[in-house]
């Protein structure tokens, strides 16, 4: 069920608001598993309804009674961009240098696939798979496509964005290293269930404005691990959309845009920083809210 969220994170179910106001609403707009609500006409109708809601003194729902899902629970595809912050590239160069390999500064946006089955909600548990003890975190800006994009220019790319959210691109590093050394790609390491917490909601592109001026912070039990700005991206959001639109982007597709430095893998003793059961990971992006995920 879709709901409006206000500045205090109070929730107002769209269907209930429409009924109280006496407005008929297309069922497709309130289907979070569809993509119509992300498209311009759907967002426009929702914005008009929300404006009417804000003018009334409506009581929000009881938030603890709700299970929050990822804003787009079943996207067609999730494109996960790698090495898109210069400081993260630098720390990666140091890691691979110790293994006798050279990592070049990217000349074009590279990425791997995250599958929808890895998605989880902003309050859901990050579940450590049995037998693994090298689970890492990566805060990322998630971009949700609202209109189909095929071979669009960077100048027009942001017009195809429905909105933005926070994502934590979780990985198991040992498997990732083995996959990368095959030079085939990263798949298993990034796609265990719960390895892509996302949310807490979709903030529409008109509210966000410039996606290249947002602060990202991730902490584990209050210990800040990552603190950066989207202004440090090597390839900004518009360029990423333009590049990947060559294969066609559809409403509901998601791009997660890379992570800054501070991941556990890059620490002097990474085993001290990998996620452990009982910890809580909080990932927040300025103006977009926060994820708060316990580790189990």
């Amino acid at each position: 069920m879709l709901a409006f969220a206000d500045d205090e994170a109070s929730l107002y179910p769209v269907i209930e608001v429409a009924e109280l106001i006496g407005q008929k609403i297309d069922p497709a707009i309130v289907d979070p598993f569809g993509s119509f609500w992300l498209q311009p006409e759907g967002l426009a109708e929702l914005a008009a309804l929300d404006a009417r809601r804000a003018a009334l003194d409506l009581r929000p729902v009881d938030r603890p009674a709700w299970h929050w899902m990822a804003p787009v629970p079943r996207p067609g595809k999730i494109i996960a961009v790698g090495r898109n912050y210069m400081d993260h590239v630098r720390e990666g160069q140091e890691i691979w240098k110790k293994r006798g390999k050279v990592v070049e500064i990217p000349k074009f946006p590279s990425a791997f696939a995250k599958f929808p089955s890895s998605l989880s909600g902003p309050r859901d548990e990050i579940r450590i798979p049995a037998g693994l003890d090298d689970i890492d975190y990566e805060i990322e800006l998630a971009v949700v496509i609202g209109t189909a994009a095929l071979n669009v220019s960077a100048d027009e790319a942001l017009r195809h964005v429905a909105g933005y959210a926070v994502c934590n691109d979780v990985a198991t590093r040992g498997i990732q290293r083995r996959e990368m050394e095959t030079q085939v790609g990263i798949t298993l390491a990034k796609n265990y269930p719960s390895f892509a917490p996302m949310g807490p909601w979709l903030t529409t592109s008109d509210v966000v404005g410039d996606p290249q001026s947002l602060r990202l912070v991730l902490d584990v039990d209050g210990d800040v691990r990552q603190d950066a700005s989207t202004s440090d991206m090597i390839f900004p959001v518009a360029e990423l959309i333009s590049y990947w639109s060559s294969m066609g982007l559809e409403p509901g597709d998601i791009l997660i845009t890379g992570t800054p430095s501070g991941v556990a893998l890059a620490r002097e003793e990474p085993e001290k920083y990998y996620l452990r059961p009982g910890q809580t990971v909080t990932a927040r992006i300025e103006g977009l809210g926060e994820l708060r995920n316990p580790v189990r």
Side-chain angles (χ1 to χ4, degrees):
M1 179 185 295
L2 287 182
F4 299 115
D6 63 18
D7 293 339
E8 285 72 43
S10 298
L11 299 178
Y12 304 85
V14 173
I15 291 178
E16 294 182 13
V17 171
E19 289 176 348
L20 287 171
I21 293 175
Q23 178 176 327
K24 290 186 178 180
I25 192 166
D26 187 334
I29 289 182
V30 293
D31 178 12
F33 292 94
S35 64
F36 180 66
W37 71 278
L38 295 166
Q39 299 176 45
E41 56 268 41
L43 288 177
E45 187 167 345
L46 288 171
L49 183 60
D50 191 37
R52 295 184 65 186
R53 175 205 62 79
L56 302 174
D57 185 22
L58 299 182
R59 185 180 182 86
V61 298
D62 180 21
R63 279 195 303 164
W66 278 49
H67 176 208
W68 295 24
M69 301 175 66
V72 183
R74 283 293 178 266
K77 50 186 171 286
I78 305 172
I79 300 168
V81 178
R83 296 175 181 164
N84 196 33
Y85 284 76
M86 185 59 72
D87 55 357
H88 184 52
V89 172
R90 297 296 187 200
E91 67 180 6
Q93 288 174 326
E94 290 300 315
I95 294 168
W96 286 98
K97 182 179 179 181
K98 297 174 182 177
R99 300 189 176 103
K101 296 189 177 183
V102 176
V103 174
E104 302 288 346
I105 296 173
K107 295 180 174 61
F108 62 91
S110 60
F112 53 89
K114 295 278 279 194
F115 302 136
S117 56
S118 70
L119 281 172
S120 58
R123 303 292 183 266
D124 289 344
E125 296 177 348
I126 295 172
R127 302 190 299 276
I128 297 180
L132 299 178
D133 60 1
D134 56 359
I135 308 304
D136 210 344
Y137 49 82
E138 293 187 1
I139 186 172
E140 307 207 10
L141 173 67
V143 181
V144 178
I145 300 299
T147 59
L150 179 63
N151 296 322
V152 302
S153 69
D155 288 341
E156 62 181 324
L158 295 184
R159 301 173 194 164
H160 295 266
V161 176
Y164 303 88
V166 187
C167 182
N168 185 357
D169 176 22
V170 181
T172 171
R173 294 303 192 185
I175 293 175
Q176 180 179 343
R177 178 169 59 83
R178 293 196 297 273
E179 290 182 316
M180 292 179 71
E181 287 176 342
T182 67
Q183 299 183 351
V184 174
I186 308 169
T187 303
L188 180 59
K190 294 281 190 172
N191 280 294
Y192 283 91
S194 81
F195 270 29
M198 190 176 294
W201 42 66
L202 182 82
T203 303
T204 53
S205 57
D206 60 313
V207 173
V208 174
D210 180 11
Q212 303 306 149
S213 60
L214 306 175
R215 185 183 179 193
L216 314 87
V217 180
L218 181 143
D219 72 68
V220 179
D221 289 343
D223 175 31
V224 175
R225 304 285 182 86
Q226 295 181 280
D227 189 346
S229 170
T230 56
S231 63
D232 294 330
M233 287 183 185
I234 298 171
F235 304 102
V237 171
E239 290 186 26
L240 296 176
I241 294 171
S242 176
Y243 182 84
W244 289 103
S245 73
S246 63
M247 69 176 184
L249 299 174
E250 300 294 333
D253 285 350
I254 298 172
L255 283 80
I256 56 176
T257 53
T259 196
S261 63
V263 297
L265 179 63
R267 306 280 177 157
E268 192 65 31
E269 297 180 88
E271 63 276 2
K272 293 184 177 180
Y273 294 89
Y274 288 135
L275 299 179
R276 297 286 180 261
Q279 293 179 322
T280 297
V281 184
T282 303
R284 62 180 67 87
I285 297 180
E286 179 184 1
L288 304 187
E290 69 175 26
L291 314 177
R292 187 176 292 272
N293 302 102
V295 182
R296 296 289 181 265

